[in-house]
Amino acid sequence: MRQWKGRTNEPLFWALFGGGGMLGVFTMPVLIVIFGLLVPFGLFGGAEGTYEVMHGVLTNWFASLLIFLGLGVILWHSCHRTFHALHDLKIHPPEIVRVVIYGGALLAPAVGCSLTLTV
């Protein structure tokens, strides 16, 4: 089998970036309208049962996993955009900044998912 010496993992990172951008663009306006306008004004059901419904959804392991995977991809998108915007502005941070930025994008959804499932 032919070995290609120029292999890189960059397409995987850019695929996560694109997926996070697409997911953020499609879900955030809907979530803002539902939880920012419809629920508080009582147009999308009453606010009296909202806590119980959301608690039931977030303590379900499958729904929690999907929510936090989506959150992780959106965080990855924002971190990737921030890091490359710094690069475009000719600000070249040290490698530890890259580790902290992307590590936070991977760690935050894992911690959130574990916290919702243990409650």
Side-chain angles (χ1 to χ4, degrees):
M1 179 173 214
R2 191 180 99 186
Q3 293 291 326
W4 184 38
K5 295 180 184 180
R7 284 203 161 179
T8 179
N9 55 4
E10 196 70 20
L12 175 66
F13 295 140
W14 284 104
L16 289 171
F17 171 76
M22 184 207 57
L23 189 63
V25 163
F26 285 127
T27 59
M28 294 311 282
V30 174
L31 292 175
I32 289 170
V33 167
I34 290 174
F35 292 110
L37 297 174
L38 298 180
V39 171
F41 292 121
L43 301 172
F44 191 68
E48 63 274 351
T50 305
Y51 175 78
E52 290 80 15
V53 171
M54 290 307 295
H55 186 268
V57 168
L58 287 175
T59 54
N60 181 356
W61 69 271
F62 187 68
S64 180
L65 181 70
L66 287 179
I67 289 168
F68 287 105
L69 281 175
L71 175 66
V73 174
I74 291 171
L75 280 173
W76 184 274
H77 172 83
S78 63
C79 291
H80 204 65
R81 182 175 289 274
T82 302
F83 189 78
H84 283 282
L86 288 174
H87 191 282
D88 290 342
L89 293 171
K90 306 289 188 231
I91 301 171
H92 302 289
E95 191 64 29
I96 189 70
V97 173
R98 175 181 258 182
V99 170
V100 169
I101 288 175
Y102 290 116
L106 294 176
L107 191 63
V111 169
C113 188
S114 65
L115 287 176
T116 57
L117 294 178
T118 57
V119 172

